[in-house]
Amino acid sequence: MLTLKIITLSSFLILQGCTSLAPQYQRPTLPVPQQFSVGQNALVTARGINDSGWHNFFADPLLKSYISEALQHNPDLRMATLKVAEARSQYKITDADRYPQLNGATDGTYSGPLKGNAATSRQYSAGLDISYDLDFFGRLKNLSEADRQSYFASQQAQRAVHILLVASVTQSYYSQRLAFQQLQVARETLINYQQSYSFVEKQLLTGSTTLLALEQAKGLIATTQAEVAKREGELAQANHALWLVLGRSSALAENNSQSIEHLDEVQLPPRLSSTILLQRPDIAEAEHLMMAANANIGAARAAFFPSISLTGDITGSSTNLSSLFNAASGMWNFIPKIDVPLFNAGRNKANLSLAEVRQQQTIVTYEQRIQTAFKEVADQLSLKDSYRAQLLAQEAYLTSLQVSLQRATALYAHGAVSYIDVLDAERNLFATRQAILDLKYARQINEVNLFTALGGGWVE
């Protein structure tokens, strides 16, 4: 008989946690095209964007050290980590309500008259209190699930901050490298102009040129000196921006590298499905929040049904500590309690309506993030081909300009052309060198933006 009671009670306690009034979760259909148009970027061999984190994607050791430094000291990332810890603790607090609560208590009472010789009386008590809510309709289960999904959402939010920080450091670093290289080009051009001025000056002494050509050469030097000063200011600003994202004000390490081709291109499959967006942390966060909203609906629905709680205690009392724990001095109590919602002025109905509205809001947020993510990836894919074509054309133009300058200089030395032809060739060469640097920078930033837009940059 006792065995039957134990089995019945065990089955009763197990089954009471299996009911949930939450709606069945269904992921919304992606509100974007099924595939991206990857154009000429398609590769025969596909590699998952998350197969390689930023450690492998970036090859520049100085940049990698900057990223590591920022990840250790950035306050936004520290705050995101603390929010994860907060959400985890909140989930544990809520989940603990689903299990029996056992507490021990003891006390002593001393009493006696204010006058007289009567002895002081003593009364001691000790016992155990147990309480348990029978979660027949899944209210506690759904509250716990909502906090669990919120915890998962906070983890995804931390990933998003991590990825954005990597991208921010990278962009600041490449901006600093671009400013440095543009300054170097300006300084090299200034040296070339000064040499040209000396050549024109010699030509003037031999009567092979005019004062006009000399003044033109001098003006070009002054213009380039202004350009050098401008680039020096831009480099200082780029250094300050890099200091800010690193969270320090100490001097940056010297890096005289003349190349910014220091990371791999993002490898894409021949047919890039838009479902790749689901691995983005901001979208995964939105999906977990949808699941949490679903669970909150279940908890709100459960409030319409009776709640059953069991409380009991075992208490021993005695006037003597030595006999406090004797069975003869003990008592037990068992109090089942059923609360039935009868009238609360529409509170439960309003709570359910609120939970449903909030769930619809999470769906809208999810769809908006999907659409924004699709646009970000599509934009970067479109720019990828554009930058490649522009760079090839500019490099071909640079080669042509170098030949033109050599020929113009030779013809001017023989008096076949005026110095204005040499000036035009030099100015075009300088402008094109700067334009190529800008294109290389834009192309690298495009790769970084595509890498992060696809949810990469997290693997450590």
Side-chain angles (χ1 to χ4, degrees):
M1 186 67 177
L2 180 60
T3 303
L4 179 61
K5 289 182 177 179
I6 294 176
I7 294 175
T8 302
L9 180 60
S10 300
S11 302
F12 177 74
L13 294 178
I14 292 173
L15 290 174
Q16 63 88 23
C18 296
T19 304
S20 175
L21 300 178
Q24 184 177 2
Y25 173 75
Q26 291 183 342
R27 176 183 287 167
T29 304
L30 296 185
V32 293
Q34 294 183 351
Q35 291 183 335
F36 291 98
S37 175
V38 298
Q40 300 177 5
N41 300 300
L43 301 179
V44 176
T45 304
R47 182 184 68 182
I49 192 68
N50 270 334
D51 290 346
S52 175
W54 65 265
H55 288 286
N56 298 323
F57 187 68
F58 301 108
D60 189 329
L62 183 57
L63 171 58
K64 292 169 73 171
S65 70
Y66 284 158
I67 293 174
S68 297
E69 181 180 345
L71 291 175
Q72 291 177 2
H73 304 295
N74 184 266
D76 292 334
L77 188 58
R78 293 204 304 271
M79 180 60 72
T81 303
L82 292 173
K83 287 183 181 296
V84 171
E86 178 188 15
R88 182 173 60 247
S89 298
Q90 181 60 52
Y91 162 60
K92 290 181 177 180
I93 292 172
T94 307
D95 193 57
D97 291 336
R98 300 176 58 198
Y99 302 95
Q101 308 294 310
L102 180 64
N103 298 297
T106 181
D107 64 74
T109 303
Y110 301 85
S111 61
L114 293 177
K115 293 182 178 181
N117 297 324
T120 300
S121 63
R122 299 174 178 84
Q123 183 72 26
Y124 304 101
S125 65
L128 295 174
D129 298 329
I130 186 170
S131 61
Y132 184 47
D133 287 335
L134 299 179
D135 195 23
F136 275 117
F137 303 101
R139 185 183 69 87
L140 297 178
K141 178 182 179 181
N142 281 308
L143 289 175
S144 175
E145 177 63 16
D147 280 342
R148 188 172 78 98
Q149 294 299 332
S150 296
Y151 165 52
F152 292 152
S154 69
Q155 289 182 316
Q156 296 299 327
Q158 181 192 22
R159 286 186 59 212
V161 173
H162 178 116
I163 293 173
L164 290 176
L165 180 58
V166 170
S168 179
V169 173
T170 304
Q171 185 165 351
S172 296
Y173 175 76
Y174 280 118
S175 294
Q176 191 258 0
R177 297 310 310 144
L178 173 66
F180 173 80
Q181 292 165 42
Q182 287 178 329
L183 176 59
Q184 292 299 102
V185 169
R187 286 173 174 170
E188 291 171 4
T189 302
L190 178 60
I191 293 173
N192 293 335
Y193 287 169
Q194 289 170 340
Q195 292 174 348
S196 296
Y197 179 82
S198 299
F199 176 73
V200 173
E201 194 174 33
K202 292 178 181 179
Q203 291 285 92
L204 182 63
L205 293 177
T206 60
S208 302
T209 190
T210 63
L211 286 172
L212 176 60
L214 185 64
E215 288 302 320
Q216 289 173 333
K218 184 185 295 184
L220 203 55
I221 289 176
T223 301
T224 310
Q225 287 173 334
E227 182 70 17
V228 169
K230 174 188 173 183
R231 298 300 182 181
E232 287 174 342
E234 291 177 350
L235 178 59
Q237 289 181 323
N239 285 333
H240 299 159
L242 187 54
W243 290 344
L244 179 63
V245 75
L246 293 178
R248 62 164 172 158
S249 58
S250 55
L252 299 172
E254 289 293 331
N255 183 358
N256 296 322
S257 171
Q258 294 299 307
S259 174
I260 55 175
E261 302 291 339
H262 278 311
L263 76 166
D264 299 329
E265 286 193 11
V266 175
Q267 298 185 21
L268 303 174
R271 299 174 66 86
L272 183 61
S273 171
S274 58
T275 56
I276 194 174
L277 298 175
L278 297 178
Q279 70 183 6
R280 280 179 49 133
D282 57 335
I283 293 175
E285 177 191 9
E287 184 167 12
H288 284 300
L289 292 177
M290 280 195 298
M291 295 178 183
N294 258 27
N296 282 327
I297 290 177
R301 287 175 176 175
F304 287 89
F305 297 89
S307 62
I308 304 174
S309 61
L310 305 176
T311 58
D313 64 79
I314 300 176
T315 306
S317 61
S318 175
T319 59
N320 195 321
L321 285 174
S322 61
S323 61
L324 179 61
F325 296 100
N326 290 344
S329 64
M331 294 183 64
W332 63 270
N333 288 292
F334 176 69
I335 308 172
K337 180 182 178 183
I338 301 178
D339 288 327
V340 181
L342 297 177
F343 176 76
N344 52 28
R347 179 188 300 273
N348 289 343
K349 185 176 180 180
N351 280 333
L352 176 58
S353 177
L354 179 62
E356 290 173 342
V357 169
R358 287 177 173 171
Q359 189 250 9
Q360 291 299 313
Q361 290 176 342
T362 61
I363 293 176
V364 173
T365 299
Y366 177 79
E367 292 176 343
Q368 287 177 331
R369 290 191 180 181
I370 288 282
Q371 291 169 341
T372 300
F374 186 90
K375 178 183 180 300
E376 290 176 355
V377 174
D379 285 347
Q380 300 307 320
L381 287 174
S382 300
L383 290 172
K384 193 177 177 74
D385 285 340
S386 174
Y387 286 139
R388 181 186 293 113
Q390 289 181 64
L391 189 57
L392 289 174
Q394 287 286 1
E395 288 176 340
Y397 182 46
L398 178 65
T399 302
S400 177
L401 286 176
Q402 289 171 336
V403 174
S404 297
L405 178 59
Q406 293 174 353
R407 291 179 178 176
T409 303
L411 291 173
Y412 170 72
H414 291 85
V417 297
S418 67
Y419 190 66
I420 193 67
D421 295 311
V422 178
L423 290 178
D424 286 341
E426 288 178 333
R427 281 194 293 260
N428 290 336
L429 183 63
F430 174 59
T432 303
R433 290 184 65 188
Q434 297 283 16
I436 287 176
L437 288 178
D438 288 334
L439 280 173
K440 286 184 176 180
Y441 167 78
R443 186 180 178 188
Q444 296 305 92
I445 294 302
N446 170 249
E447 292 295 333
V448 174
N449 289 340
L450 180 58
F451 185 64
T452 56
L454 291 171
W458 169 251
V459 179
E460 295 196 8

